[in-house]
Amino acid sequence: MLIFILIMVLPFQILAQDDEETDYIWLKQEIEIAQNIKEPVIYSKSAVIYDRGSKTILYGKNEHERLPMASTTKIMTAIILVENVSDLSKEIEVVKEAAMVGGSSLELKTGDKITYEGLLYGLLLCSGNDAAAQIAISMAGSIEEFADLMNAKAYSLGLKDTHFITPHGLDEEGHYTTAYELAVIADYALNMQKIAEVVSTKNYTIAVNGYPRALTNTNELLGYLEGVNGVKTGFTHNAGRCLVTSAIRDNFNIITVVLGADTKKIRTRDSINLIEYVYKNYKLINLEDRVEEAYQNWKLVNENRIEITKGIPTSKIEVKLGKIKYTKYPIRKESLENINIDIKTYKLKLNAPVKENYQLANIIISIDNKEIMRVPIEIKKEIAKKGIKEYIIETLELLSN
């Protein structure tokens, strides 16, 4: 009977871990190959390249398909922890339910003492399923109630194809996300200084029961591919190999996600190809400067042509530039000569009252004849309609002349 139990349990425990050694000679060769590709060839089930600045997709393969995501789940677990626990130095006692969780582990035992910060590092560096379970139980009382917090957060981020059952990502029916929505979650998480700090750390030492425990980040690209600064690996039998990666070069910050790779080498190769493809083929351009130049030219010609009848006299009618959606935008290098800026002007002769932010014109930015943004030109301050008092004053002034 004991042998039978071992046969049934061991395969799952092995498949739930992500400790396959990385061949860094092979990794170096793959990086060199990827630097010369024209288009990425992706073998993972799903993949996406997400630009953090513009929040746009630069490449996608089944990026909206619902799939299990294994330990990349822990990015959301970290979000819930950091947003809701003000004192990460608070010490926690490990419960039996957390200590018994299988798969990749921080090797916690029932009764161990560890801080929330130690759990956070254990969660994101060595992908401890026990750390994830302990965070959930300490914060919410149970795995189920913590999952409710995760789902509420996903809803608040506008995610429609993400649902959490566990804080660690071990295979459960109904536990899924998409490559795109996982990139959105990672983008949100990286805006939190503590999480960004942890996922960019290669090695770290925490304390368990007051004794040091050294941790190593499972992210094979961290420290080996230029610009990589996070975020999380994942692996279960159903999910396959998964990897969420953040990279930044010359202030051009992207997130790549691969889900459902058959092997660790495939997920690594796919991620490298996606990252190198972007930096070879795209350039981040400053749209704010171009919009500002177009606005100033329009203002010089049109500001003094604006007429508002029946309005209370003012020294000058002022205009302003509205909100710019994208200050910087990634563009394929072959499209750099195809950036077009047009200005569509509406009526310049208006009747009072005219509300603040009334739209006079639109600056329209297109790339390869595809519109990507409109920036309004607006009235700066409200212009009220003349009342009886103003008409009496005007009449008296006329009579006096």
Side-chain angles (χ1 to χ4, degrees), residues 103-172:
S104 55
S105 173
L106 187 54
E107 299 182 359
L108 297 174
K109 296 179 175 58
T110 304
D112 279 349
K113 301 292 180 62
I114 184 173
T115 64
Y116 272 121
E117 184 177 55
L119 289 171
L120 180 63
Y121 275 94
L123 178 81
L124 295 175
L125 264 64
C126 64
S127 199
N129 294 331
D130 48 358
Q134 186 59 57
I135 289 168
I137 294 166
S138 294
M139 288 188 61
S142 70
I143 298 293
E144 294 75 17
E145 289 185 52
F146 189 82
D148 289 340
L149 297 178
M150 299 171 79
N151 288 319
K153 190 64 186 182
Y155 179 81
S156 74
L157 294 176
L159 308 182
K160 302 181 184 302
D161 293 303
T162 296
H163 189 257
F164 297 100
I165 302 293
T166 73
H168 40 61
L170 290 174
D171 292 327
E172 290 281 354

Side-chain angles (χ1 to χ4, degrees), residues 5 9 31 42 45 49 71 79 149 171-172 176 217 278 283 298 300 311 319 400-401:
I5 292 172
V9 173
I31 293 171
I42 302 302
K45 287 182 182 177
I49 304 171
S71 286
I79 290 172
L149 297 178
D171 292 327
E172 290 281 354
Y176 57 79
N217 201 315
V278 166
K283 183 176 181 179
W298 182 94
L300 186 65
V319 298
S400 65
N401 291 332

Side-chain angles (χ1 to χ4, degrees), residues 307-333:
E307 294 180 17
I308 299 179
T309 58
K310 301 180 182 179
I312 294 176
T314 58
S315 57
K316 186 179 180 182
I317 298 169
E318 295 183 276
V319 298
K320 66 175 183 177
L321 189 61
K323 186 176 180 181
I324 299 177
K325 185 177 182 182
Y326 308 126
T327 57
K328 294 182 179 179
Y329 197 86
I331 297 177
R332 288 188 68 95
K333 291 178 180 178

Side-chain angles (χ1 to χ4, degrees), residues 278-296:
V278 166
Y279 291 125
K280 180 180 179 181
N281 291 281
Y282 281 81
K283 183 176 181 179
L284 200 63
I285 65 163
N286 190 326
L287 287 182
E288 187 173 23
D289 288 349
R290 298 182 185 224
V291 169
E292 180 65 29
E293 182 182 0
Y295 165 66
Q296 292 298 337

Side-chain angles (χ1 to χ4, degrees), residues 42-55:
I42 302 302
Y43 293 96
S44 300
K45 287 182 182 177
S46 175
V48 75
I49 304 171
Y50 179 86
D51 173 50
R52 292 194 66 197
S54 64
K55 315 299 182 189

Side-chain angles (χ1 to χ4, degrees), residues 367-390:
I367 301 170
D368 291 329
N369 296 317
K370 180 182 178 182
E371 183 181 317
I372 63 165
M373 179 173 68
R374 290 189 173 209
V375 183
I377 298 173
E378 303 167 336
I379 291 288
K380 191 172 184 178
K381 295 180 181 179
E382 179 181 2
I383 298 172
K385 187 177 181 179
K386 291 179 185 177
I388 294 175
K389 178 182 177 182
E390 285 75 28

Side-chain angles (χ1 to χ4, degrees), residues 82-357:
V82 173
E83 283 195 332
N84 293 280
V85 175
S86 58
D87 183 9
L88 293 178
S89 66
K90 182 179 179 181
E91 195 170 65
I92 302 299
E93 183 172 324
V94 177
V95 299
K96 183 178 179 181
E97 184 181 351
M100 292 185 66
V101 176
S104 55
S105 173
L106 187 54
E107 299 182 359
L108 297 174
K109 296 179 175 58
T110 304
D112 279 349
K113 301 292 180 62
I114 184 173
T115 64
Y116 272 121
E117 184 177 55
L119 289 171
L120 180 63
Y121 275 94
L123 178 81
L124 295 175
L125 264 64
C126 64
S127 199
N129 294 331
D130 48 358
Q134 186 59 57
I135 289 168
I137 294 166
S138 294
M139 288 188 61
S142 70
I143 298 293
E144 294 75 17
E145 289 185 52
F146 189 82
D148 289 340
L149 297 178
M150 299 171 79
N151 288 319
K153 190 64 186 182
Y155 179 81
S156 74
L157 294 176
L159 308 182
K160 302 181 184 302
D161 293 303
T162 296
H163 189 257
F164 297 100
I165 302 293
T166 73
H168 40 61
L170 290 174
D171 292 327
E172 290 281 354
E173 186 176 351
H175 188 91
Y176 57 79
T177 189
T178 69
Y180 167 70
E181 293 197 350
L182 188 52
V184 173
I185 293 169
D187 179 44
Y188 182 87
L190 290 169
N191 286 325
M192 304 169 72
Q193 183 179 353
K194 187 62 180 179
I195 293 179
E197 174 188 311
V198 174
V199 297
S200 64
T201 301
K202 188 67 177 176
N203 298 289
Y204 194 78
T205 300
I206 63 169
V208 180
N209 299 321
Y211 294 97
R213 184 169 298 180
L215 307 179
T216 298
N217 201 315
T218 58
N219 187 345
E220 63 268 25
L221 296 183
L222 186 64
Y224 291 92
L225 183 61
E226 181 190 352
V228 169
N229 57 1
V231 289
K232 189 70 191 74
T233 61
F235 174 57
T236 65
H237 177 69
N238 286 343
R241 302 280 178 175
C242 306
L243 182 59
V244 181
T245 309
S246 168
I248 183 168
R249 297 179 189 174
D250 297 326
N251 296 316
F252 188 178
N253 198 173
I254 62 168
I255 291 171
T256 65
V257 178
V258 295
L259 298 177
D262 288 337
T263 67
K264 185 174 180 178
K265 282 193 172 183
I266 288 175
R267 85 165 183 201
T268 305
R269 181 188 293 119
D270 283 355
S271 298
I272 291 170
N273 285 344
L274 292 171
I275 292 166
E276 293 298 337
Y277 162 75
V278 166
Y279 291 125
K280 180 180 179 181
N281 291 281
Y282 281 81
K283 183 176 181 179
L284 200 63
I285 65 163
N286 190 326
L287 287 182
E288 187 173 23
D289 288 349
R290 298 182 185 224
V291 169
E292 180 65 29
E293 182 182 0
Y295 165 66
Q296 292 298 337
N297 290 337
W298 182 94
K299 182 179 177 182
L300 186 65
V301 173
N302 292 286
E303 189 171 40
N304 293 327
R305 296 171 58 207
I306 301 169
E307 294 180 17
I308 299 179
T309 58
K310 301 180 182 179
I312 294 176
T314 58
S315 57
K316 186 179 180 182
I317 298 169
E318 295 183 276
V319 298
K320 66 175 183 177
L321 189 61
K323 186 176 180 181
I324 299 177
K325 185 177 182 182
Y326 308 126
T327 57
K328 294 182 179 179
Y329 197 86
I331 297 177
R332 288 188 68 95
K333 291 178 180 178
E334 61 264 32
S335 298
L336 291 174
E337 301 300 321
N338 299 324
I339 303 171
N340 190 52
I341 298 181
D342 290 321
I343 300 182
K344 183 177 181 181
T345 302
Y346 307 114
K347 290 195 307 181
L348 296 180
K349 294 184 178 181
L350 307 169
N351 291 321
V354 179
K355 293 182 179 180
E356 180 183 355
N357 301 330

